Each structure stands twice: as C-alpha cells, then as structure tokens.
Amino acid sequence: MTTVDLPLLPLGRGTDPLSERGVDCPGELPAASDPDLVARARAAKEKLGDKLFVLGHHYQRDEVIQFADVTGDSFKLARDAAARPDAEYIVFCGVHFMAESADILTGPEQRVILPDLAAGCSMADMARIAQVEKAWEALAAAGVQDVVVPVTYMNSSAAIKAFCGRNGGVVCTSSNAEVALEWAFAQKGDDTKVLFLPDQHLGRNTAVLQLGYSLDECVVWNPHKPNGGLTADELAQAKVILWKGHCSVHGRFSADVIDELRAKVPDLNVLVHPECQHDVVLKADLVGSTEFIIKTIEAAPAGSSWAIGTELNLVQRLKNAHPDKNIMFLDRNVCYCSTMNRIDLPHFVWALENLVEGTVVNQIEVDPQTEADALTALQRMLDLPGKSHRD
Ligand code: SF4
C-alpha cells in the first residue's frame, strides 16, 4: 500500500490572523510546561461533578478533547448542551460563534464559558453585522431587497443569525444547506433571490451542485466595495448573492493536490468538506460535513486509501483511530484552524480551576433581543423537512 504521511510538525498557532476580539484571559494561566496540567484538569473536573458539562468540537486539540463529555459539530454540541439543563457550567471547547449558539439554546441560568476569548472564527468575522445591514440597504436601493431571503451558515455570529431571523431568513448547516436553500427559494415566488452568508463556497457548491443553478447565476457581494462591487444589472440577473467570506482552513485545499495524490496513490478516494473551493469539490469523490466525513471513514473497508480535505486535528485523529486504512491530509502543508487551536490545556485548566473557586471567567452571553431573533432563524431551520441539522 502506498503511504503518504500526514505532516508531523508540532501543533502550532497556524498562520491565520487572530480574532479581532484579541483578548486573553485575566489572571495567570498555568504554564504550558507544567507537568501536572492533565492531573489538574482531572481534579477540577471531578470537583465540579455534574455542575460541569464539557463540549469538544471535532477540530479541537487532543490534549483538550480528552476531557470532553461529548464531541461533535457546532450544532450538535449546542443541542447537547440544551439537553443538559442540570449543568450549571457549559465549557465550550470550540470557537466564539459556537459558544454563542450554545448560550442561545440553553437556559438563562446556565453559563457558557469559552476558555480563550480570542478563539474566534475567521469566516464568521468576515460578515460583520454593520456590513450586512449596509448591504441590505444597498439591495433596497437597487430595488431587489423585497425578493431577497437571507440564509446564514451556522458559522456566523449571533448578530447575523438574528438579522436572518428579523428579515424572514433561516440558519443552515453544511448538512441541510440544500433544504434550507430550497425553502428560501419558495418564500418569494419565482423572483426569489438568496443572500447567502458568510461562506461563499458552501453557498456556491450547494446552489450549483445540489440545486442546479449555473455559476453565472451566482454573484459575489464584496462588503469592501461600494454596492458589493456589483452593478444593478448583475444583481437583477442573480439568483444567489454570495457573501465574500470563506474558511481560511478549507479554502486552502487545491485541485492540483488532488491530481498529484491521485497520480501517486492507486484507488484513492477524495473526501472533502463543502467549505472547500468549487473546483476542489468538483474533483472530489465525496463531499460532506464533519459528521459525514467521520462516518464515511468508519464505514470504509480496511486497506482503502483516503485523502481528506478538512481540519488537520480531525484528520490526524481519524488516521490514528483507523490504522488499517491509508489516510492522508489533502494539503502539502500543515494547516490547523489557528483559532480552534487557541483552546489549549492551560486555558482549559485555568477556566475550570476558576469555576472550582466560584469565579465564572470568559462567559459568553448573547443579549436577549439578539437571542430572540436568532432563535427565530434557528427554529425555521429546525422546522425544515428531512435532513439532519448537523454541520
Ligand atoms: S475551521 Fe474554518 S469555519 Fe471552522 S472555526 Fe476554523 S476558520 Fe472558522
């Protein structure tokens, strides 16, 4: 069997710009070199008992995920938190928008904690509420706003979800984007247009490959240009207005690497996330959410070869869990999600030990009006027919 090894560099912070939140924790963090960190995390977790519920996103580091009571994608984790109303503290090992969703879906007495407030998401940060409100006004000025339905990917701030709730729109995940777009297109008759936020790639891949729209019917709204960089005619012709956002991890995978690996590895299966660029998705054998990727690898026969285009912590974990399969990363370079990686053992221990002392640190709280509007958009998603609501 041909083996292409995963890059074996140490876990690093990656190259993405840090979230503009840019705040670190007050007080002293334990040193990363402290040999007792694992024991300290265990002891704090044990002291907190059932008051604590730890959620771990699939893209988290191993050193943190080992303490998760449940692992999953962002929406599954938020729902898992909602299903544990007895847990006073929800420690979310993931990024900021995920902790916001957990706060929206859990009770008012539950506290959601993000161990490092600088764990943002570069994609979610690409659609700021002020930019989106401005775009909405521009769509009104262009005479199309009354036929536009906003759809936002789960990977967006609570403010953007609330915008969709206020304006007749919906939230979607990478598993139900097709159903969400079908729902949106049914809202305003034949003239309906969708404004898809914030990930242009998921929007384009879904509209073109699943709903059959042409690439020409998809236009990109650049929030840094007047009127999104689009003419009135381009807007009038468009069916899907894609916000110019992307995931800095999934956007890196390239079609050339697929060609290169296929030339080297016989019978290679290429499995990618739909946040990847359109030409990558076109060349892949299978496309789906993180949960889909995990299940596909679990069900794959021994000896089969897989190149996976998603975050490296997850790919590395799959490779370790399935030594009988030839699993490789679909990039020439190491590429972790730098903001996911900010949640490390020192931050985790710091958050838990503060809770033991009765101090709630780094609580994520969404204001009541935003929460109510975001819930409207989330509820519309939950009411969609059929597909799973996983991302
Ligand atoms: S992997 Fe991409 S979408 Fe997910 S948190 Fe990181 S930057 Fe955001």
Side-chain angles (χ1 to χ4, degrees), residues 16 57 59 95 97-98 120-124 153 155 246-250 275 311 337-340:
D16 297 342
H57 190 274
Y59 299 166
V95 295
F97 76 82
M98 299 178 183
C121 161
S122 54
M123 178 203 285
Y153 187 24
N155 300 16
H246 65 273
C247 166
S248 44
V249 174
H250 292 95
E275 289 171 21
E311 207 273 344
C337 174
S338 62
T339 48
M340 282 276 181

Side-chain angles (χ1 to χ4, degrees), residues 1-7 253 257-258 260-272 293 297 303-312 314-316 318-320 322 325-332:
M1 187 178 359
T2 309
T3 302
V4 176
D5 284 332
L6 282 166
F253 297 112
V257 178
I258 297 181
E260 206 175 281
L261 287 175
R262 284 202 199 280
K264 282 188 201 158
V265 184
D267 301 321
L268 179 69
N269 300 286
V270 177
L271 172 58
V272 302
I293 289 171
I297 295 300
S304 55
S305 294
W306 297 86
I308 306 180
T310 193
E311 207 273 344
L312 184 50
L314 174 58
V315 180
Q316 185 76 61
L318 286 170
K319 183 177 169 70
N320 295 341
H322 299 277
K325 298 163 199 175
N326 181 21
I327 293 174
M328 62 208 79
F329 187 51
L330 188 63
D331 194 24
R332 295 185 190 97

Side-chain angles (χ1 to χ4, degrees), residues 32 46 149 193 225 288:
E46 208 173 297
V149 178
K193 299 176 193 295
K225 290 192 173 169

Side-chain angles (χ1 to χ4, degrees), residues 80-103:
D80 287 343
R84 282 291 307 269
D86 50 313
E88 196 177 329
Y89 306 126
I90 308 288
V91 171
F92 207 123
C93 300
V95 295
H96 194 272
F97 76 82
M98 299 178 183
E100 284 187 326
S101 298
D103 184 53

